[in-house]
Amino acid sequence: MAKSIAKELAELQGFWEEAKAIEGGFKNKPDDIYEACKLTDAIVTKSKSDNLMVVFEYTIKSGDLAGETINKYSVIQTEKNLSYFKGDCAVMGIECPKDITDLPEILDDFVKENRERFDIELKTEGDRQNIYVTVSGGAQEPEEKPKKKAVEEEEEEKPKKKKMVAEE
């Protein structure tokens, strides 16, 4: 038979009187853009409500919060959830496997091999803090501009000259 809530609370009274408040617990980080964060972990797990989800952990690399982590939780329980998750993967450069059972291994490999840095934007709306991830502009390899295209653009700016070709 289940105890009543009042009875269970009464049993905690001794601990209640002795317990000191501990600062901490869950606190939102200030809304901001945290640049060049490192992806330090990505795991498939279950939430407290028994939903499958992926937890991405990013470590802040600079500023007042350097060394602290930001976690992004992506529930992957429904088709809509999976669509958002696949969108996140596309932004981050994670190739989604055909077989979802390969996902834990793919994520583990991505974290191990990843050289990218990510910009993490935190925006609080009501009582929720949303997390937006983009690949950091400064961390990517510089793109090589195709020389042919650059030459064509230069030619368009110059007045066109006709070449004289001798006929044989």
Side-chain angles (χ1 to χ4, degrees), residues 31-147:
D31 285 2
D32 203 349
I33 297 176
Y34 298 90
E35 296 178 343
C37 296
K38 174 79 173 134
L39 178 65
T40 49
D41 203 4
I43 59 168
V44 178
T45 188
K46 285 211 163 201
S47 69
K48 290 179 184 176
S49 57
D50 209 33
N51 288 321
L52 281 171
M53 65 185 212
V54 175
V55 180
F56 292 103
E57 179 185 83
Y58 302 89
T59 301
I60 301 170
K61 296 310 246 178
S62 61
D64 293 342
L65 299 179
E68 290 194 32
T69 59
I70 295 172
N71 292 328
K72 178 174 176 57
Y73 301 92
S74 296
V75 175
I76 55 171
Q77 201 66 31
T78 67
E79 185 176 348
K80 188 173 183 180
N81 297 149
L82 289 167
S83 295
Y84 282 115
F85 174 74
K86 283 184 167 185
D88 288 345
C89 288
V91 167
M92 295 171 60
I94 298 171
E95 288 190 35
C96 292
K98 277 198 177 282
D99 185 343
I100 195 168
T101 62
D102 295 332
L103 187 59
E105 183 180 343
I106 296 293
L107 293 173
D108 189 49
D109 289 346
F110 185 79
V111 171
K112 287 177 185 171
E113 298 168 5
N114 184 33
R115 304 283 186 270
E116 297 288 355
R117 294 288 187 261
F118 299 94
D119 292 341
I120 310 298
E121 182 177 4
L122 301 181
K123 283 186 182 177
T124 303
E125 296 173 11
D127 61 347
R128 293 190 60 146
Q129 189 167 51
N130 294 311
I131 300 171
Y132 302 94
V133 179
T134 56
V135 175
S136 181
Q140 295 176 313
E141 293 294 315
E143 280 188 38
E144 239 182 79
K145 292 183 180 175
K147 292 178 182 171

Side-chain angles (χ1 to χ4, degrees), residues 142-158:
E143 280 188 38
E144 239 182 79
K145 292 183 180 175
K147 292 178 182 171
K148 185 177 180 182
K149 190 172 186 179
V151 169
E152 288 173 4
E153 289 173 354
E154 278 182 27
E155 287 176 5
E156 287 177 18
E157 291 175 15
K158 294 179 185 177

